[in-house]
Amino acid sequence: MKGYTNGEIQDFEDETSPAGVILGLDGGTTSTVCICMLASASISFGGGGEAAESLPILSRASAGCSNFNSVGEAAAKETLEKVMVEALSMAHSNCSAVRAICLAVSGVNHPSDQQKILEWVRDLFPCSVKIIIENDAVAAMASGTLGKLHGCVLIAGTGCIAYGFCEDGRQARAAGAGPILGDWGSGYGIAAQALTAIIRAHDGRGPQTTLMNNILNVLGLSSPDEVIGWTYADPSWARIAALVPVVVASAEDGDEVADKILHYSVQELADSVKAVIRRLKLSGEDGKSPFPLVMVGGVIEANNKKWDIGKEVGKLISKDYPGVFPIRPKVSKLSRLQYILWEWQFFLQFSQ
Amino acid sequence: MKGYTNGEIQDFEDETSPAGVILGLDGGTTSTVCICMLASASISFGGGGEAAESLPILSRASAGCSNFNSVGEAAAKETLEKVMVEALSMAHSNCSAVRAICLAVSGVNHPSDQQKILEWVRDLFPCSVKIIIENDAVAAMASGTLGKLHGCVLIAGTGCIAYGFCEDGRQARAAGAGPILGDWGSGYGIAAQALTAIIRAHDGRGPQTTLMNNILNVLGLSSPDEVIGWTYADPSWARIAALVPVVVASAEDGDEVADKILHYSVQELADSVKAVIRRLKLSGEDGKSPFPLVMVGGVIEANNKKWDIGKEVGKLISKDYPGVFPIRPKVSKLSRLQYILWEWQFFLQFSQ
């Protein structure tokens, strides 16, 4: 049986150790990753947070969107189940060997959301299994601060959310409410505005824009009227958000409409982060104390030749809060999970 | 067998007349109505357009949303089939007696949309049946101009669309692209902005608003975080748009956020109409020629004590186009269908 650490394959003598296994799951609106790790004390945590990425992983499985607000409850539940079962199977393990599960899932906004997912997951595993369910922002935060939950995290992928953590345990969030409820800084928000700009240019309400030809070409459509049918043919948020690179490229080629959409996205993302900073007083009483701002997601990483959305967001925030320390971790969802499992080791009590 | 005209029941001696029957269908994003009329020459059209409302109706059936962009193709097809079969059954008739069908359905934006619905409907009826498929704006237009297709119509219900018709047959439209593509003047658009305002007030990005308590009360929710789950639990556009009366009431009670949302809706609806006027030159070369503007739908009719969205839209348009003549027909969907059947009688050739 082979496991891997930070991409390197490792051998384990006994993956069916009586200590069992733990599952970590990072569920986003675009993709979901689940890792399976041994829960045995012999390979458990030690050293500083830097050691998180060297935690040995038995297996990793991946799947699509697990945000129930995007794909519906039945599809989200199926994705969560499938990816966990697959990770266990790849590790030659099974549900009865599981000791603890950490699920960091986008769309978790309220205790009733945690309860819903708990009910989906609880029946699959022995009742002694410890289960933690949080918003995926928690895993993203940990990935940028070596496991420490302090500061603010901004996720801007298909969806977007700002999440803040104080050292005393207080938390606050802004945005993360999905496309109907005004997440205009998200990849979906950017792409929906670009599609809207095409409709407006076509029917005489808005300025002409190269987004028209650029997006029609990418979608293989011949007329702006066809954009309406394309948009509603499939309700997946990730499908709309996949147009972000076309918007960035159009802006870089000088299109003013595309440029304005990206500037608006930057403003919206910065506003979300600033709302969290204010509420938690992350910058201290004087507004100048240092704090980390972890930024992850496809929109943050959609920097091309000229446009760098993450950089612009950081600049806008630092105008009001000069102590902000932007961090753009170059880690995968897999590594994010290692960090969050690191953070939660004491709660999970699989460390000795 | 009984039929009714303008609400009054009429007797027909022979509803299974060899001349057969015709179906008229008005399909919106909130509701769908289908009427069945005799196609016999003995009761066919005569007189001016005023006579449209006295066309004798054998039966009327109603159902929910038939906009496939809102509820998906399978549900829309089922609704269309069901409501037509029900209207025929209520008239003690059947598919083989049908001579012609007029379908005025929201969501029809492109020839491929007409083709799609034609394929759904064609197989249900004899191949000799004449079938016309148009956007529901066409029926709404006819209802305000005694059957004449000239001028502009604005529908603002769950969705919104502006549609213009020239006497030479040219047509143009603006908006009508659904909630993802920027129909901010629609009932859905108004309600989505109100829900967004709640989220922003709650997470510190927006001003406080009485929309918060007013909408939570109506929905039976206890916390703004629960609004997210409520919003995505059911993708129906009409369910969101049903919150418009709460927004109007909040604005009338002095809430500035609600007031701003309604003003924005007015601006958006007026912009859509003005785009159509410009493209078709409905106000003539001098911009002052008279033309009718028919306004229908739940948003237009959502006037309460102070706020009258339709009136405000008319005022905004008349600033640029003083020849605009707003018409707000007090007719039901049933009567709209009578007008559109009147308009299309020559095409349908069931008049002799």
Side-chain angles (χ1 to χ4, degrees):
Chain A
M1 172 59 200
K2 302 195 180 258
Y4 56 96
T5 299
N6 227 2
E8 287 177 33
I9 304 296
Q10 292 191 340
D11 279 312
F12 295 105
E13 285 184 356
D14 179 16
E15 75 276 11
T16 57
S17 155
V21 298
I22 57 169
L23 293 175
L25 185 145
D26 189 346
T29 310
T30 315
S31 64
T32 300
V33 171
C34 182
I35 59 175
C36 180
M37 295 169 69
L38 280 175
S40 69
S42 61
I43 57 154
S44 78
F45 307 92
E50 299 80 0
E53 284 199 48
S54 61
L55 292 178
I57 295 169
L58 293 176
S59 66
R60 176 181 70 159
S62 60
C65 171
S66 55
N67 182 333
F68 56 81
N69 286 328
S70 170
V71 292
E73 295 193 7
K77 181 171 184 263
E78 192 183 326
T79 297
L80 292 177
E81 279 184 25
K82 192 181 140 207
V83 79
M84 288 191 292
V85 167
E86 196 177 331
L88 285 169
S89 166
M90 288 165 75
H92 300 281
S93 188
N94 56 55
C95 292
S96 62
V98 175
R99 298 290 175 267
I101 312 172
C102 292
L103 297 110
V105 187
S106 68
V108 170
N109 303 305
H110 187 262
S112 62
D113 299 325
Q114 291 173 303
Q115 190 57 37
K116 186 198 319 252
I117 294 180
L118 185 62
E119 282 166 16
W120 296 350
V121 175
R122 172 53 73 205
D123 288 346
L124 299 174
F125 300 97
C127 56
S128 61
V129 172
K130 289 179 190 297
I131 301 176
I132 300 181
I133 297 162
E134 287 286 355
N135 191 287
D136 62 337
V138 181
M141 178 87 230
S143 74
T145 54
L146 302 177
K148 190 175 176 187
L149 290 184
H150 169 249
C152 188
V153 61
L154 173 67
I155 301 185
T158 290
C160 68
I161 191 167
Y163 222 108
F165 305 83
C166 286
E167 287 181 283
D168 61 12
R170 284 179 300 125
Q171 299 183 5
R173 48 166 286 178
I180 299 179
L181 300 172
D183 279 355
W184 296 113
S186 68
Y188 182 102
I190 291 169
Q193 287 175 81
L195 291 166
T196 298
I198 295 177
I199 300 293
R200 290 184 177 239
H202 179 60
D203 71 19
R205 285 179 296 158
Q208 292 304 306
T209 164
T210 59
L211 286 167
M212 176 101 75
N213 280 337
N214 294 347
I215 289 183
L216 291 180
N217 282 345
V218 164
L219 300 183
L221 303 177
S222 54
S223 140
D225 284 329
E226 292 176 1
V227 168
I228 304 175
W230 179 87
T231 300
Y232 300 105
D234 178 341
S236 151
W237 300 350
R239 177 173 161 268
I240 304 274
L243 292 171
V244 168
V246 188
V247 187
V248 174
S250 302
E252 295 195 337
D253 288 343
D255 187 78
E256 287 183 14
V257 173
D259 198 65
K260 204 170 161 187
I261 290 169
L262 295 185
H263 275 293
Y264 184 58
S265 161
V266 167
Q267 185 68 56
E268 285 285 299
L269 294 173
D271 281 353
S272 301
V273 172
K274 288 196 271 188
V276 166
I277 296 171
R278 272 196 307 274
R279 281 164 60 201
L280 295 179
K281 292 192 177 163
L282 283 176
S283 61
E285 292 296 334
D286 64 353
K288 293 176 184 170
S289 300
F291 63 95
L293 168 64
V294 178
M295 294 193 278
V296 300
V299 169
I300 301 294
E301 291 146 19
N303 49 318
N304 221 332
K305 288 169 289 183
K306 303 174 208 163
W307 251 105
D308 184 335
I309 294 173
K311 190 176 167 189
E312 297 300 319
V313 171
K315 274 162 64 179
L316 220 52
I317 294 166
S318 67
K319 279 186 188 170
D320 291 338
Y321 302 100
V324 66
F325 180 65
I327 299 167
R328 296 164 73 170
K330 298 286 176 206
V331 296
S332 64
K333 279 200 169 181
L334 183 150
S335 300
R336 273 192 225 166
L337 282 165
Q338 290 172 291
Y339 281 110
I340 195 61
L341 290 172
W342 178 265
E343 168 64 23
W344 283 335
Q345 60 179 297
F346 301 107
F347 177 85
L348 293 167
Q349 293 177 356
F350 47 74
S351 157
Q352 289 183 348
Chain B
M1 173 58 202
K2 305 208 178 242
Y4 56 96
T5 298
N6 227 1
E8 289 176 31
I9 304 296
Q10 292 191 339
D11 280 311
F12 295 104
E13 285 186 354
D14 179 17
E15 74 277 12
T16 58
S17 155
V21 297
I22 57 171
L23 293 175
L25 185 146
D26 190 347
T29 310
T30 315
S31 64
T32 300
V33 171
C34 182
I35 59 174
C36 180
M37 295 170 70
L38 278 176
S40 68
S42 61
I43 58 154
S44 79
F45 306 93
E50 300 79 1
E53 283 200 49
S54 62
L55 293 178
I57 295 170
L58 293 176
S59 66
R60 176 180 72 160
S62 60
C65 171
S66 54
N67 182 334
F68 56 82
N69 286 327
S70 171
V71 290
E73 294 193 8
K77 181 172 185 262
E78 192 183 324
T79 298
L80 292 178
E81 280 184 24
K82 191 181 141 208
V83 78
M84 288 191 290
V85 167
E86 197 177 330
L88 284 169
S89 165
M90 288 165 77
H92 300 283
S93 188
N94 57 55
C95 292
S96 62
V98 176
R99 299 289 174 268
I101 312 171
C102 292
L103 297 110
V105 188
S106 70
V108 171
N109 302 305
H110 187 263
S112 62
D113 299 325
Q114 290 173 303
Q115 189 58 36
K116 188 199 317 254
I117 294 180
L118 185 63
E119 283 166 16
W120 295 350
V121 175
R122 173 52 73 204
D123 289 346
L124 300 174
F125 300 97
C127 58
S128 61
V129 172
K130 289 177 190 298
I131 301 176
I132 300 181
I133 297 161
E134 289 285 354
N135 191 286
D136 63 337
V138 182
M141 177 87 230
S143 75
T145 53
L146 302 178
K148 191 175 174 187
L149 290 183
H150 170 247
C152 188
V153 62
L154 173 67
I155 302 185
T158 291
C160 68
I161 191 167
Y163 223 107
F165 304 84
C166 286
E167 288 183 281
D168 62 11
R170 283 179 301 126
Q171 299 183 7
R173 48 167 287 181
I180 299 178
L181 300 172
D183 280 354
W184 297 112
S186 68
Y188 182 102
I190 291 169
Q193 286 174 81
L195 291 166
T196 298
I198 295 177
I199 300 293
R200 289 184 178 241
H202 179 60
D203 70 20
R205 285 179 296 157
Q208 291 304 305
T209 164
T210 59
L211 286 168
M212 176 101 75
N213 280 337
N214 295 347
I215 289 183
L216 291 180
N217 283 345
V218 164
L219 301 183
L221 303 177
S222 54
S223 140
D225 284 329
E226 291 175 0
V227 168
I228 304 176
W230 179 87
T231 299
Y232 300 104
D234 177 344
S236 151
W237 299 350
R239 175 171 161 270
I240 304 274
L243 293 171
V244 168
V246 188
V247 186
V248 174
S250 302
E252 295 195 337
D253 288 344
D255 187 79
E256 287 182 16
V257 173
D259 199 64
K260 204 171 161 187
I261 290 169
L262 296 185
H263 275 293
Y264 184 57
S265 161
V266 167
Q267 185 69 55
E268 285 284 300
L269 294 173
D271 281 352
S272 301
V273 172
K274 287 196 270 188
V276 166
I277 296 171
R278 271 197 307 275
R279 281 164 60 202
L280 296 178
K281 292 192 177 162
L282 283 175
S283 61
E285 290 297 334
D286 64 352
K288 292 175 182 169
S289 300
F291 64 94
L293 169 64
V294 178
M295 294 193 281
V296 301
V299 169
I300 301 294
E301 291 145 20
N303 49 318
N304 223 332
K305 288 168 287 181
K306 302 174 207 162
W307 250 104
D308 183 335
I309 293 173
K311 191 175 166 189
E312 296 300 320
V313 172
K315 274 163 63 179
L316 221 51
I317 294 167
S318 67
K319 278 186 190 171
D320 290 337
Y321 302 101
V324 67
F325 180 65
I327 299 167
R328 294 164 73 170
K330 298 288 177 205
V331 297
S332 64
K333 279 201 171 182
L334 183 149
S335 300
R336 271 192 226 165
L337 282 166
Q338 291 172 292
Y339 280 109
I340 195 61
L341 290 173
W342 178 265
E343 168 63 22
W344 283 336
Q345 60 178 297
F346 301 106
F347 178 85
L348 293 168
Q349 293 178 357
F350 48 75
S351 159
Q352 288 180 345

